[in-house]
């Protein structure tokens, strides 16, 4: 209905222009005189251009979009370049091009997504714009809307060119100093099947070089004597697996919770720790192994897309979620209420220890309610620590000291 309404309106405008053309011609014929014919000849080019613009097909416009990077961190800049080409050099005067995003907030906050051109006889134009400070999330550019008009706005034509691109804005991460949790040397009685981190200050021997060994591990003295590459062997520091659990409920500090979670996982992964990730929400999502860059990227994609849900919409965590996991659990939340703590305590009975990070706004005083919630969690054997954004860098230190 909308398309037919637009077409009818455009056709009505054409009828008006044609009627105006013949009316002025008839007036000049009957009235005669230099003035009448001068007015007719002056207006005729504009009327003919409007008629030609009505017949000009916008389908000849071809658009190519170039995005410097489709994955950026929260608050980063998105650089977009559009190349608009056409095969027929019809003189386009007033041309407006605007990008259509699926999130109206981007269009409202970024005026650069709309641009006015005088195309002229050019066959190609290029337009670049930047979007600053995009919040975390997934965005889709649906396409491009092109609008052209004649001199007086008698003929206005619009065309939507579908050209989809997806943008991911990852959460910011904070650089941390990694400290293993309950780490012990392999002389201990309880060993985990994974090496949490190698202590490169304690070489216990040498072995033949294998593909993938770091250059810094090569034993150069042995190479000088034997001309064979040998790699130092180090004592492994062992620990149970580390599981990070993100509370997906709506809270005032949800974005900070996501950033803390991303920072914990990134730092532990960079230190070759055995780490898993569980997020709650409308669905319970589990990443049981985060050992490779590809697996880490999958986690960050999930953290970029995740949205908080209300308590009523959140799916309950089942005990089976942690049945294949072991070791210590780090819970990241903004609301450690009794119901949530009871659920965590129930489903993590098989885990060695549970540590809860409560993300708070440093500008606000800790409420009496939150103090009561923290006291309740501690009474259930859960170690609790309040963290503001500025304290994220010392998160692992806080864990090891709890």
């Amino acid at each position: 209905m909308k398309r037919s309404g637009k077409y009818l309106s455009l056709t009505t405008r054409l009828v008006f222009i044609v009627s105006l053309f013949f009316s002025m011609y008839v007036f000049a014929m009957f009235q005669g005189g230099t003035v009448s014919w001068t007015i007719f000849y002056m207006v005729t080019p504009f009327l003919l251009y409007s008629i030609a613009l009505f017949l000009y097909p916008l389908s000849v416009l071809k658009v190519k979009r170039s995005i410097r990077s489709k994955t950026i961190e929260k608050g980063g800049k998105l650089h977009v370049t559009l190349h608009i080409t056409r095969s027929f050099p019809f003189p386009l005067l007033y041309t407006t091009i605007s990008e259509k995003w699926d999130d109206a907030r981007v269009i409202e906050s970024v005026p650069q997504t709309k641009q006015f051109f005088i195309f002229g006889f050019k066959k190609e134009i290029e337009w670049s714009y930047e979007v600053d400070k995009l919040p975390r999330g997934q965005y889709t550019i649906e396409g491009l809307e092109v609008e052209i008009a004649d001199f007086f706005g008698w003929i206005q034509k619009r065309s939507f060119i579908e050209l989809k691109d997806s943008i991911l804005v990852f959460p910011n991460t904070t650089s941390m100093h990694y400290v293993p949790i309950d780490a012990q040397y392999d002389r201990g009685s309880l060993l985990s099947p994974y090496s949490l981190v190698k202590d490169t200050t304690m070489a216990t021997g040498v072995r033949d070089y294998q593909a993938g060994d770091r250059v810094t591990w090569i034993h150069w003295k042995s190479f000088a004597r034997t001309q064979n590459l040998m790699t130092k062997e180090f004592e492994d520091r062992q620990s149970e697996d580390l599981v990070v659990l993100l509370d997906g409920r709506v809270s005032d500090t949800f974005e900070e919770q996501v950033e803390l979670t991303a920072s914990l996982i990134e730092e532990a992964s960079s230190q070759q720790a055995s780490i898993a990730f569980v997020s709650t929400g409308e669905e319970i999502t589990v990443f049981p192994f985060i050992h490779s860059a590809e697996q880490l990227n999958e986690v960050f994609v999930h953290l970029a897309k995740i949205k908080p849900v209300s308590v009523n919409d959140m799916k309950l965590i089942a005990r089976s979620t942690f049945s294949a996991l072991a070791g210590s659990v780090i819970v990241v939340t903004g609301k450690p209420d009794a119901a949530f703590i009871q659920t965590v305590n129930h489903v993590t009975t098989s885990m060695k220890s549970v540590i809860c990070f409560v993300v708070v706004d440093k500008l606000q005083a800790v409420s009496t309610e939150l103090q009561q919630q923290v006291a309740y969690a501690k009474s259930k054997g859960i170690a609790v620590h309040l963290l503001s954004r500025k304290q994220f860098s010392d998160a692992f230190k806080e864990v090891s000291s709890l």
Side-chain angles (χ1 to χ4, degrees):
M1 292 296 293
K2 290 183 178 180
R3 287 186 177 181
S4 61
K6 289 181 179 179
Y7 183 77
L8 180 62
S9 175
L10 192 60
T11 305
T12 303
R13 290 169 178 263
L14 178 65
V15 172
F16 165 75
I17 293 171
V18 174
S19 301
L20 182 62
F21 176 80
F22 282 106
S23 297
M24 294 186 65
Y25 176 74
V26 171
F27 176 78
M29 285 288 293
F30 283 95
Q31 181 68 24
T34 304
V35 175
S36 301
W37 283 107
T38 300
I39 295 174
F40 173 74
Y41 288 127
M42 288 180 63
V43 176
T44 294
F46 297 100
L47 298 176
L48 292 178
Y49 176 80
S50 298
I51 296 172
L53 188 64
F54 174 83
L55 299 174
Y56 182 76
L58 290 180
S59 59
V60 300
L61 295 176
K62 305 298 180 184
V63 181
K64 181 180 179 182
R65 183 189 296 114
S66 300
I67 300 177
R68 186 176 299 178
S69 176
K70 295 185 180 181
T71 56
I72 58 175
E73 280 198 352
K74 177 183 174 182
K77 282 187 177 182
L78 180 70
H79 301 267
V80 182
T81 301
L82 290 165
H83 301 269
I84 301 104
T85 59
R86 56 178 180 160
S87 55
F88 182 68
F90 180 83
L92 293 178
L93 299 176
Y94 307 119
T95 306
T96 303
I97 298 174
S98 57
E99 289 268 53
K100 296 300 178 184
W101 292 62
D102 62 340
D103 194 329
R105 294 176 302 173
V106 178
I107 301 174
E108 293 172 358
S109 60
V110 185
Q112 293 93 333
T113 57
K114 188 173 184 179
Q115 185 69 22
F116 172 78
F117 295 98
I118 297 181
F119 215 118
F121 286 93
K122 297 176 183 176
K123 286 188 176 182
E124 179 179 353
I125 59 172
E126 184 176 290
W127 167 40
S128 298
Y129 69 93
E130 293 181 349
V131 181
D132 292 335
K133 299 180 180 179
L134 272 175
R136 179 193 61 83
Q138 183 181 31
Y139 302 88
T140 302
I141 309 177
E142 301 288 350
L144 202 72
E145 186 176 78
V146 181
E147 180 180 354
I148 59 175
D150 59 9
F151 290 94
F152 303 112
W154 291 335
I155 296 294
Q156 295 180 350
K157 298 178 68 176
R158 289 185 180 88
S159 177
F160 179 76
I161 302 173
E162 185 175 351
L163 185 63
K164 288 191 175 183
D165 271 305
S166 183
I167 311 298
L168 274 178
V169 181
F170 290 148
N172 290 333
T173 57
T174 302
S175 178
M176 296 179 171
H177 176 65
Y178 183 74
V179 178
I181 302 171
D182 298 329
Q184 59 184 4
Y185 287 97
D186 58 7
R187 287 184 285 270
S189 58
L190 295 177
L191 300 180
S192 100
Y194 298 106
S195 169
L196 183 64
V197 62
K198 287 184 178 296
D199 188 350
T200 56
T201 63
M202 299 179 64
T204 59
V206 293
R207 57 170 172 80
D208 291 335
Y209 176 83
Q210 297 177 359
D213 287 345
R214 297 182 183 179
V215 176
T216 55
W217 294 355
I218 295 176
H219 194 268
W220 294 108
K221 291 183 179 179
S222 297
F223 176 72
R225 291 196 307 267
T226 65
Q227 298 301 306
N228 292 324
L229 283 176
M230 305 294 288
T231 301
K232 299 175 187 176
E233 284 190 315
F234 302 100
E235 188 166 17
D236 289 340
R237 298 179 69 181
Q238 303 285 348
S239 175
E240 293 82 7
D241 294 345
L242 178 65
V243 182
V244 178
L245 171 64
L246 173 63
D247 179 8
R249 296 175 300 165
V250 173
S251 72
D252 295 335
T253 58
F254 183 76
E255 289 301 319
E256 287 80 4
Q257 292 168 224
V258 174
E259 291 179 17
L260 175 58
T261 302
S263 301
L264 291 170
I265 294 173
E266 183 181 56
E267 180 61 23
S269 178
S270 69
Q271 297 296 327
Q272 301 178 356
S274 178
I275 186 168
F277 171 55
V278 179
S279 75
T280 63
E282 291 182 352
E283 297 293 336
I284 305 298
T285 306
V286 181
F287 296 87
F289 303 105
I290 309 173
H291 295 153
S292 65
E294 183 179 354
Q295 291 168 336
L296 181 63
N297 184 68
E298 290 177 0
V299 172
F300 269 74
V301 169
H302 175 76
L303 289 174
K305 296 179 180 179
I306 192 171
K307 295 180 180 179
V309 299
S310 64
V311 176
N312 296 331
D313 294 332
M314 191 173 87
K315 187 175 180 180
L316 294 176
I317 310 172
R319 184 178 291 183
S320 59
T321 303
F322 292 85
S323 61
L325 304 174
S328 300
V329 180
I330 295 180
V331 181
V332 180
T333 183
K335 297 191 299 183
D337 54 81
F340 179 72
I341 293 299
Q342 287 175 2
T343 301
V344 171
N345 196 49
H346 174 70
V347 301
T348 59
T349 53
S350 63
M351 310 301 287
K352 181 177 180 181
S353 61
V354 180
I355 301 155
C356 182
F357 279 150
V358 181
V359 181
V360 296
D361 186 347
K362 71 177 185 65
L363 300 178
Q364 297 178 356
V366 178
S367 64
T368 303
E369 181 184 8
L370 180 56
Q371 291 176 358
Q372 293 173 349
Q373 292 172 348
V374 170
Y376 177 78
K378 289 181 177 179
S379 70
K380 294 297 182 180
I382 298 176
V384 183
H385 192 78
L386 305 184
L387 279 183
S388 65
R389 187 194 292 270
K390 285 191 174 181
Q391 296 171 304
F392 285 178
S393 59
D394 295 325
F396 277 108
K397 293 181 180 179
E398 299 294 345
V399 171
S400 64
S401 64
L402 290 173

